[in-house]
Amino acid sequence: MEFLVASTVGLLTAAGVYLLLRARTFPVVLGLALLTYAVNVFLFAMGRLAINMPPVITATSPGYSDPLPQALVLTAIVISFGMTALLVVLALRAYLESDSDHVDIATDGDLKGGPH
Amino acid sequence: MRPEVALPILIPLLAGALSLAFWRSRAMQRGIGVVGTGVMMLSAWVLLYTTWQEGYLVMHMGNWPAPFGIVLVADLLSAIMVVLAGITGFATAIYSLATLGKRHEHFGYYPLMHLLLAGVNGAFLTGDIFNLYVWFEVMLVASFALLILGGERAQMEGAIKYVTLNLVSSALFLSAIGLLYGLIGTLNMADLADKIAQLEDPGMVKVVAMLFLVAFGIKAAAFPFFFWLPASYHTPQVAVSALFAGLLTKVGVYALFRVFTLIFSLEDPFTQNVLLWMAGLTMLTGVLGAAAQYEFRRILSFHIISQIGYMILGLALFTPLALIGGVFYIMHHIIVKANLFFISGLIYRLKGSYELRELGGVYRSHPWLALLFLIPALSLAGLPPLSGFFAKFILIRAGIEAQAWWLVGVALLVGLLTLYSMVKIWSEVFWKAAPPSAGKTPEPRTRNDALLYLSIGGLALLTVLIGLGAQPVFVLAEQAAAQLLDPRGYIEAVLGGEA
């Protein structure tokens, strides 16, 4: 179980970083999404992995699963979802504006500048 | 239970909600913009005064006792930062009245500005590390939208880099929080500080410390992580640039100060050396980057980076005097930097360009503006008797006492190069005759120019006051640094009593 979760986090992170480094907006969006998934799973696992345990401590149950990371992950998921949505819109707008999906779109500012 | 701690967060939230309610009324939004930020600034001053009189102020949200619920804590550093946010926000609100066009105001500039200020103040006041993350995100979402307000092509490019890098930083921040929780089992910063010393695994603590360093380093635009800043800060509206330049990176610096004085110890030589190197290289790269630029706001953006280096130096030396210098530097820098961006906007308005080679002759046409530029510019370079001189003086004195010779050398050299940059702007924009090719000079818009001069003059006055009244400001910074150096007070204020 630990091995499975750990390698999932590793795989997601590796894929996310690879896509981020592609410097094209669509892979960057996907890469960020994968990276935040990895972080969310990681955060979740930080409350220790427990199967079939209630999230509250009672006298009868043999143990409990930590409810706090679950609450944290819920917050983090909502935030990262919003951020991804914003990034998608931004990338689309940049593409329509410049006809290029490269992260370094050429701007007028690059053509000017420099000493005279 | 001190509810006034929450006021600097609640007031901008309320003002933002009110401006949303008056979405169609430009006049109402502008009124709420000035009144809301003004009231927020007043509440911040009250908070600083109360913190000065009574020490730590703690508010338990929802009356949950300390390590379980979220707490808001105001110590002197937090209160100082909130006051600076209030000053910058108020000045920006006045400045925006005259500079923003209908197009920007109709797309929600004022609600976003309030939301940004709420996020910034929340980050300054929270005493819970996950809550800090949430306030960071509140601030970031607002800043993303402000950055692309207007929707020009250059803004899009800058924004993509800004958003991507900041999201990566958030991911690192979140994993660091996860690791910390997995190690210690609490999120309350005072509780973390209390329990981290008992850990038997110093290696893991170091890993977490480095993760925090990278995450906050990206937000603060420190040395290897700064490149998003000069790519984006010169693209939005000037009022937005000034607000960002004054506040956003400083939230990263504040987080570094908080985390590395309270939770992680800088007595560990490894962490301290990393921070020292980071400080020195941040100062150098920033100022060298600025030397190569010929666009007004790009020069200023690079100078933000080099100034961040000075603040981190104050933290990294970790002597009482160095921390005083760091706090003093933050106070001086926020006001000066926002003001320089304001001036760049006013000159754009007069001459229609940010390119130094297309500008000129401002001294001849507007001598008073030239004087107003000289105050923050020379203060940034560190000339007496302005605020920047005392900030640099304290830091360099601390560096000499700590015998960090090469850092002292770098700090002095960077001061000199900053002066070079400012003189470059002075001679290109103000001194030389206007180039004949500047044919596209727009007809001067003089509507509401007084408002611009009001913000610029007000901030310049503050710079002079900090310089002339350096002693009381020094005492304030001294108290704040004393609190930072003795985290027991913070821990007892949060956990003691009710816990």
Side-chain angles (χ1 to χ4, degrees), chain B residues 326-344:
Chain B
V327 175
F328 200 112
Y329 212 103
I330 295 175
M331 290 193 251
H332 135 77
H333 169 87
I334 290 180
I335 290 166
V336 163
K337 190 49 89 176
N339 203 3
L340 283 171
F341 271 91
F342 282 160
I343 292 170
S344 78

Side-chain angles (χ1 to χ4, degrees), chain B residues 70-368:
Chain B
I70 291 171
V71 287
L72 295 180
V73 190
D75 67 346
L76 272 175
L77 178 64
S78 303
I80 291 170
M81 299 303 291
V82 171
V83 166
L84 291 168
I87 293 171
T88 320
F90 187 54
T92 309
I94 292 177
Y95 191 88
S96 324
L97 290 183
T99 52
L100 282 182
K102 276 190 189 140
R103 208 157 53 99
H104 302 105
E105 289 182 328
H106 274 308
F107 281 95
Y109 168 77
Y110 287 107
L112 287 167
M113 183 190 74
H114 290 301
L115 193 62
L116 183 85
L117 286 172
V120 167
N121 283 342
F124 289 151
L125 288 172
T126 184
D128 181 282
I129 195 106
F130 190 78
N131 199 230
L132 181 65
Y133 163 78
V134 174
W135 286 121
F136 262 107
E137 298 304 302
V138 169
M139 178 184 96
L140 283 179
V141 163
S143 73
F144 296 161
L146 281 174
L147 194 62
I148 54 173
L149 208 64
E152 284 162 30
R153 193 164 144 173
Q155 284 179 301
M156 292 299 151
E157 192 203 358
I160 285 184
K161 288 171 187 162
Y162 177 85
V163 173
T164 311
L165 261 296
N166 274 296
L167 290 186
V168 170
S169 143
S170 296
L172 289 170
F173 186 14
L174 204 52
S175 354
I177 291 174
L179 269 175
L180 207 54
Y181 180 76
L183 278 176
I184 305 179
T186 177
L187 292 168
N188 183 296
M189 290 204 261
D191 205 22
L192 282 172
D194 198 30
K195 291 186 176 146
I196 203 160
Q198 300 153 18
L199 272 187
E200 287 158 11
D201 190 359
M204 205 58 208
V205 173
K206 221 175 271 185
V207 170
V208 180
M210 287 302 114
L211 268 177
F212 274 116
L213 182 63
V214 174
F216 294 146
I218 295 177
K219 309 258 187 219
F223 164 61
F225 318 114
F226 60 83
F227 30 81
W228 57 268
L229 191 149
S232 59
Y233 268 28
H234 63 284
T235 58
Q237 290 294 305
V238 182
V240 176
S241 279
L243 196 59
F244 283 16
L247 292 178
L248 289 198
T249 46
K250 260 55 73 182
V251 179
V253 174
Y254 164 81
L256 281 174
F257 267 70
R258 176 64 70 217
V259 164
F260 281 93
T261 53
L262 187 62
I263 302 177
F264 304 107
S265 164
L266 275 176
E267 279 146 25
D268 168 40
F270 173 76
T271 319
Q272 193 181 17
N273 277 331
V274 171
L275 266 172
L276 284 173
W277 276 97
M278 204 170 169
L281 290 171
T282 307
M283 285 191 268
L284 263 183
T285 43
V287 86
L288 291 179
Q293 296 296 326
Y294 272 80
E295 206 260 24
F296 207 142
R297 285 197 288 175
R298 280 198 190 208
I299 297 176
L300 297 179
S301 301
F302 272 103
H303 276 296
I304 299 176
I305 299 167
S306 79
Q307 309 284 312
I308 294 290
Y310 283 99
M311 298 168 207
I312 298 178
L313 177 66
L315 172 67
L317 286 172
F318 205 61
T319 59
L321 192 62
L323 275 176
I324 296 170
V327 175
F328 200 112
Y329 212 103
I330 295 175
M331 290 193 251
H332 135 77
H333 169 87
I334 290 180
I335 290 166
V336 163
K337 190 49 89 176
N339 203 3
L340 283 171
F341 271 91
F342 282 160
I343 292 170
S344 78
L346 180 50
I347 286 169
Y348 179 77
R349 190 171 169 144
L350 295 171
K351 301 283 171 184
S353 176
Y354 289 111
E355 294 290 334
L356 294 193
R357 55 180 180 165
E358 290 170 8
L359 292 167
V362 179
Y363 180 72
R364 184 174 289 266
S365 56
H366 299 82
W368 287 103

Side-chain angles (χ1 to χ4, degrees), chain A residues 20 25 32 39 42-43 46 48 66 68-69 72 76 79 83 86-87 90 93-94 103-107 115-116, chain B residues 130 137 141 144 148 151 153-154 156-157 160-161 163-164 167-168 171 174-175 178-179 181-182 187 294 357 428:
Chain A
L20 262 184
T25 46
L32 271 177
V39 172
F42 177 75
L43 195 61
M46 275 300 118
R48 307 296 184 269
D66 194 342
L68 191 73
L72 299 188
I79 290 176
M83 293 289 184
L86 197 130
L87 191 60
L90 190 61
R93 184 72 200 271
V103 174
D104 288 308
I105 55 181
T107 55
H116 46 109
Chain B
F130 190 78
E137 298 304 302
V141 163
F144 296 161
I148 54 173
R153 193 164 144 173
M156 292 299 151
E157 192 203 358
I160 285 184
K161 288 171 187 162
V163 173
T164 311
L167 290 186
V168 170
L174 204 52
S175 354
L179 269 175
Y181 180 76
L187 292 168
Y294 272 80
R357 55 180 180 165
E428 291 279 329

